[in-house]
């Protein structure tokens, strides 16, 4: 079979590395290029020794995206925000499909982006055609897209957990609280005291309270689902584990709904989704049950005492929360089996 | 100096063991007896080898509490619920002061206790005189008590985090959400698959969603503070760390309050408290900064977008959340320096 | 393609579960049966929720192995020692190929087995035809075997690390020390205080000092390689991580050998092995670089000051140390591509 | 009581911070100064928030040691090697006692120091009067010393584990292997990719194989004990835990000795030592049983099959392996109770 050619821009962060791992086993993809700002010229398998004996690729420069777009069929960008909005041009998109794992094309309203990210957005024309790549929700648009904005890790987990409730208007739009917990890979790969072993291990803390940049992204998509503007509370926590996101979501119910009614609604939206698993009553997600996989596990409970619902979602932040969803989107964009290279069971205990 | 004599009933659980550790360094206390259901007859330092060379005590039977009350000046009970309500009699209290680290005397309304704990309460007469031992809130009553019901770990952290807001009626009483995260010692010491290393490590999960027994205890004390009956959502999470509780508390503000106003209120209530540390603006608690200590760290943020407050508290669940607070209460009950044996800095990184 | 039918006897331990995970993605295998002593009648995906939505199999009884052998083409046995020696009969082997992940058929000398394992061996006739399944060393015999004794986790790592040195007689046979460190999955899945989270986390300890049952297994195979009887010191340690074995092996060199000479010998034996990775000079194995994979990473250093060699090997104890090697052996026994279902890169960080 | 005045030079590393924690509770000591190269001018409790509300000290410059020596009765130095050898002058020692937690004064032979540490030693005159501060072995010399070279963490654990065997010449001096495992605090506090959470967690590795700088220090002291020059193998491992060192030590016995004979020898040397705990037969040290404490736990086994002994020692690397031993030495130097501020039980589980 002819394979498409993939380039990973920013391959030495954890999301880029996870992309490499997943694409390596993809039957329709050849990885032709990995780029890195910090490690240009180095063997990729010297940076990530887990890939020892599996690749001879060297880290190259990723700065000339137009040139790369002439060689690659698909470009994955896994860079800090603010770079892709400058380098992803119409010219690039004429040559190659682009999946950006960063934030630059997620927020449709340029002003909101600039306000939360505190940088100017240089790619307004390109932004317009970007499709928000939450595979299960935007499947048809993704299939036709040239540029997909791959969602954030917290956002993927939060939106998928709450989407049916908002779509069906079961909850009070002003009552939403999302208390999310992430493993440390979410903070990226870097020499940083704050994520050093001894400062992070055996401890949990909230951070960026009432100010995390995934907030407007969650609000944008849930507002779209609800049909009205929504503001919500989102609190991320750093949890002493490598991988995983757990989003515990709270909302007041708009009326009296029993478990079965709500369950039927979740099944209506997700019953046929390969990667969304609705757990049985009384069973709640654990991040170790989705580790290394594309699965989203969702469970919920209704608290009659307060007429509220608690919905809990779990993902692997590097897979469904980043690289896996990027591959799922690629599969959609290229007409491959949507599940290709993603059907592996979670690795447990890992 | 004459030392009082202390007995620890249920000394082989983690709370009992932490009591031993703290009391061991207490200048006014001699531990005369440790009891255990599972390890009767065994050397205590064979069960807890950290105490090797520090004690020759053997685990004894703790079933005859009246007899023990004749030998001990203070009895600490660290047993599963349902036992103390049978064994703590008026006769026991005539002989000895009792601090119960279990749940039997925390809930003032016998029916609520029986409903949540699913056992009959046999000690109604004794229950009446029990004082809820949240040291900072009930200090004067504790000083005069013969029987103190030491608060739960989640409850200590949750109540102290929210108390000033309710006392001053700054928040909407129907909007309270407490999302709490606990280390695994909170589940006790036992052979159990659910808390085995490989099932627990590298994972976070919610449990007892909308049904945890600390809920009515938190509601009881916050209702007292507020002056009206409160129902709230409380969700505990099992976090991959040995010790620590983080309570992330959410509520809608009743009006427009800025950070400084709320901060002044917290200082009014806690400014002179030795063991409550109010963190600077922008700094939020981390469990590793209180580990091994009696401290409660509290930080908060106001989210103007949703007119809500997020208050976060952190404690060591075995110290302020159990054994340390029990010793603080003992200090109050016997007229010792309230801080005695509790003034050690947190051990970090530990 | 016609798939062979596989049964996993003892599928609810971690090795059995890892077998399920790997076989699930094997193109030539259909898992037709999972058995369990503890969970008979339960849905397999209720025991291992990571397999939720991936299988409908229920745990069955595994006691009638002859019956199972009529349905299955290959039987994997992942049970405590002492059972397989009774149930694996000639009749079973006439019907089906068997790969035993337990210890019953590893030790060729029945007396040594009985001495170290403290049980009688009931399958002496069958023991004779069992092939020790260290894939890289016994490849040709495994291809022809009906019964493969899959090596232990520590033994796989230890033998592969030292094999070329002994085969080439580079070291003093009386000087071998193996200091091995294992993740907690090595202790199996069970409710046990000793492997509970709080007793295991944040600590390392040696156990079964000078008495671990993998000792005679390592000695048997290294003696075979060396051509003389060898006795060595083997010390296992419990390490606070889910997976991984690191074996740090020490021996006095028989003469003066420089790094390049020894390196050439390692390359001679392992240079063409897909799953053995010889690391560059100065790079030593880390267990997280092989996690979830079949790889064995080996590095060494020569200490001229003491004329000794330190060889270090790392594996994933559940993959190359158990289930992965079992599948590698199955691939050999059935003439499949030896690497089938095993070519996935390590998952990092996991 | 009059308190002595202590200065901590390099108080923002983990050893310096642990010194602060221990000295804070010392009845005879007032900490008058903390210095830091990186954090000069900052509040100490902003760097280490565990000390929040406990101290108002600001980090000062530590460069003028002579000036500091006029204010302080004792100076603790916790700096990278190569600095103290320049700044600790005779003048400093005339004013103040000095305890150096770094390596500069540990190696008596200046050439060996310079060879292993790859820097010039500038304090040869001062080096001569330095006493190697292994409290239990050099007690009488320490009492009279002005300058104590506090031992390394690995060395403390290794030397104490093997000392009686060498002193009594029970083992072959050419057969010693020390396989040591350390928690990550041993690597210090810094922004470094190699000790970041995700690269370190869930993994174990050897490092500085056959080249770690604690090797000559162990050899120096064991050679002194044995009376002949000893060379040995020392291999450190990075273990995924915050604190703790486990040293698994191997040696060939010089003759046939049974357990009781060897045990009697250990008791002869350590039976009266408050901080050395000799474990019962069959019990081996675990690092979590000494955490936060000054204890050294030692257990051993004789392997008759190879006529070898395996001795295992465990310490908390920041306490007995650094700050605690420094305080023990200070207690000796100033005539305080040797155990002062060190008698706290280990914190478990922590």
């Amino acid at each position: 079979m002819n394979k498409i050619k993939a380039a990973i821009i920013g391959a030495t962060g954890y999301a880029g590395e996870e992309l490499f791992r997943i694409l390596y086993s993809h039957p329709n993809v050849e990885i032709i290029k990995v780029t890195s700002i910090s490690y240009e010229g180095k063997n990729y398998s010297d940076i990530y020794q887990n890939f020892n004996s599996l690749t001879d690729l060297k880290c190259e420069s990723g700065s000339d995206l137009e040139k790369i777009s002439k060689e690659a069929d698909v470009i994955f960008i896994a860079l800090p925000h603010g770079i892709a909005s400058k380098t992803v041009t119409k010219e690039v998109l004429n040559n190659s499909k682009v999946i950006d794992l960063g934030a630059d094309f997620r927020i449709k309203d340029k002003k909101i982006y600039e306000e939360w990210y505190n940088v100017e957005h240089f790619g307004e024309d390109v932004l317009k055609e970007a499709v928000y790549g939450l595979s299960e929700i935007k499947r048809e648009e993704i299939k036709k897209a040239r540029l997909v904005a791959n969602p954030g890790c917290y956002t993927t987990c939060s939106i998928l957990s709450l989407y049916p409730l908002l779509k069906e208007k079961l909850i009070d739009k002003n009552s939403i609280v999302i208390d999310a917990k992430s493993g440390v890979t979410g903070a990226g790969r870097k020499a940083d005291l704050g994520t050093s072993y001894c400062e992070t291990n055996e401890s949990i803390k909230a951070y960026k309270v009432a100010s995390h940049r995934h907030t407007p992204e969650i609000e944008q998509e849930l507002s779209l689902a609800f049909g009205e503007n929504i503001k919500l509370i989102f609190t991320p926590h750093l949890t002493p584990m490598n991988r995983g996101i757990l989003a515990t979501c709270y909302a007041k119910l708009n009326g009296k709904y029993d478990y079965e009614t709500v369950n039927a609604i979740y099944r209506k939206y997700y019953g046929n989704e390969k990667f969304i698993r609705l757990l049985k009553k009384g069973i709640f997600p654990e991040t170790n049950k989705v580790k290394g996989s594309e699965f989203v596990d969702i469970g919920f409970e209704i608290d009659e005492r307060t007429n509220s619902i608690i919905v809990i979602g779990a993902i692997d932040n590097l897979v469904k929360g980043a690289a896996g969803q990027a591959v799922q989107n690629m599969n959609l964009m290229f007409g491959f089996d949507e599940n290709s290279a993603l059907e592996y069971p979670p690795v447990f205990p890992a």
Side-chain angles (χ1 to χ4, degrees), chain A:
Chain A
M1 191 195 317
N2 247 357
K3 293 184 171 193
I4 62 167
K5 289 176 173 141
I8 304 173
I9 310 303
T12 53
Y14 290 136
E17 184 247 343
E18 188 75 356
L19 263 170
F20 191 97
R21 181 178 76 84
I22 297 171
L23 292 174
Y24 179 87
S25 300
H26 198 296
N28 308 115
V29 175
E30 180 194 3
I31 306 169
I32 61 159
K33 192 182 291 287
V34 292
T35 84
S36 171
I37 295 168
S38 317
Y39 298 100
E40 201 184 320
K42 297 264 171 70
N43 288 320
Y44 192 51
S45 65
D46 284 343
I47 311 304
Y48 282 108
Q49 294 180 30
N50 47 321
F51 297 138
N52 199 343
S53 88
L54 300 179
T55 181
D56 293 327
L57 287 174
K58 279 184 193 301
C59 297
E60 302 178 46
S61 165
S63 57
D64 189 346
L65 206 59
E66 297 200 351
K67 189 171 163 222
I68 293 170
S69 71
K70 289 170 191 155
E71 306 167 52
D73 300 302
V74 61
I75 297 172
F76 294 91
I77 305 178
L79 295 173
H81 69 268
I83 303 175
S85 83
K86 289 181 197 157
T87 58
V88 179
T89 59
K90 289 279 184 190
E91 175 69 19
V92 167
L93 297 180
N94 288 338
N95 294 330
S96 173
K97 292 182 194 285
V98 171
I99 299 167
D100 180 25
L101 284 82
D104 285 9
F105 302 108
R106 293 177 191 158
I107 307 285
K108 283 308 191 184
D109 185 329
K110 182 173 172 284
K111 276 184 198 157
I112 293 179
Y113 171 87
E114 292 178 341
E115 187 186 313
W116 284 81
Y117 283 87
N118 213 21
V119 292
E120 196 178 340
H121 197 295
F122 294 97
E124 202 171 358
D125 52 337
V126 164
L127 174 60
K128 278 180 199 141
E129 75 165 289
V131 171
Y132 189 75
L134 196 50
S135 319
E136 284 76 10
I137 309 292
K138 312 268 182 172
R139 186 171 280 126
E140 296 312 314
E141 293 161 76
I142 293 165
K143 284 180 183 172
K144 291 173 273 182
R146 300 196 303 177
L147 171 59
V148 162
N150 214 58
C153 49
Y154 283 124
T155 45
T156 294
C157 193
S158 301
I159 297 168
L160 289 174
S161 295
L162 288 166
Y163 182 78
L165 300 179
L166 287 153
K167 199 76 183 167
E168 300 282 334
K169 292 196 158 49
L170 297 192
I171 55 176
D172 172 357
K173 72 161 189 160
N174 294 316
S175 68
I176 301 172
V177 171
I178 301 170
D179 188 287
K181 299 89 178 167
S182 173
V184 188
T185 48
R189 184 176 190 262
K190 58 191 169 193
D192 177 60
L193 189 60
T195 50
S196 71
Y197 185 84
C198 298
E199 305 282 322
T200 309
N201 187 35
E202 288 293 293
S203 196
I204 188 165
K205 67 169 176 181
Y207 65 101
K208 293 191 186 154
V209 177
S211 62
H212 193 278
R213 287 161 171 170
H214 285 180
T215 312
E217 190 181 332
I218 301 169
E219 289 178 345
Q220 167 181 289
E221 296 301 315
L222 292 184
S223 296
L224 271 174
F226 193 72
E228 288 176 45
N229 203 19
I230 288 176
K231 296 264 181 267
L232 51 77
I233 305 179
F234 170 72
T235 313
H237 294 75
L238 191 67
T239 310
M241 57 189 193
N242 282 336
R243 290 181 180 225
I245 282 179
L246 192 82
T248 310
C249 309
Y250 303 88
K252 293 276 177 193
L253 291 168
N254 269 333
K256 286 279 170 201
Y257 305 107
D258 63 10
Y259 183 89
E260 287 313 323
T261 305
V262 177
N263 196 31
I265 283 166
Y266 271 94
R267 299 217 165 263
K268 169 180 153 192
Y269 282 89
Y270 296 148
N272 293 318
E273 287 298 341
K274 171 86 178 179
F275 294 125
I276 300 184
R277 304 193 294 196
L278 301 173
L279 306 186
K280 295 177 190 172
K281 185 161 167 46
I283 307 288
F284 299 97
E286 306 181 47
T287 60
N288 62 359
K289 297 306 187 314
V290 297
K291 198 168 179 180
S293 86
E294 184 74 352
F295 288 114
V296 184
D297 279 4
I298 296 176
F300 71 91
E301 191 60 88
I302 288 171
D303 181 28
E304 292 182 5
R305 302 168 63 256
T306 59
N307 200 33
S308 301
I309 186 165
I310 301 121
V311 190
I312 305 171
I315 61 168
D316 182 319
N317 58 307
L318 292 180
V319 188
K320 183 63 181 176
Q325 185 152 252
V327 172
Q328 191 177 355
N329 287 331
M330 179 198 75
N331 287 340
L332 289 168
M333 293 163 88
F334 283 87
F336 302 144
D337 177 353
E338 183 175 339
N339 311 327
S340 198
L342 298 170
E343 293 192 280
Y344 304 109
V347 185
F348 173 84

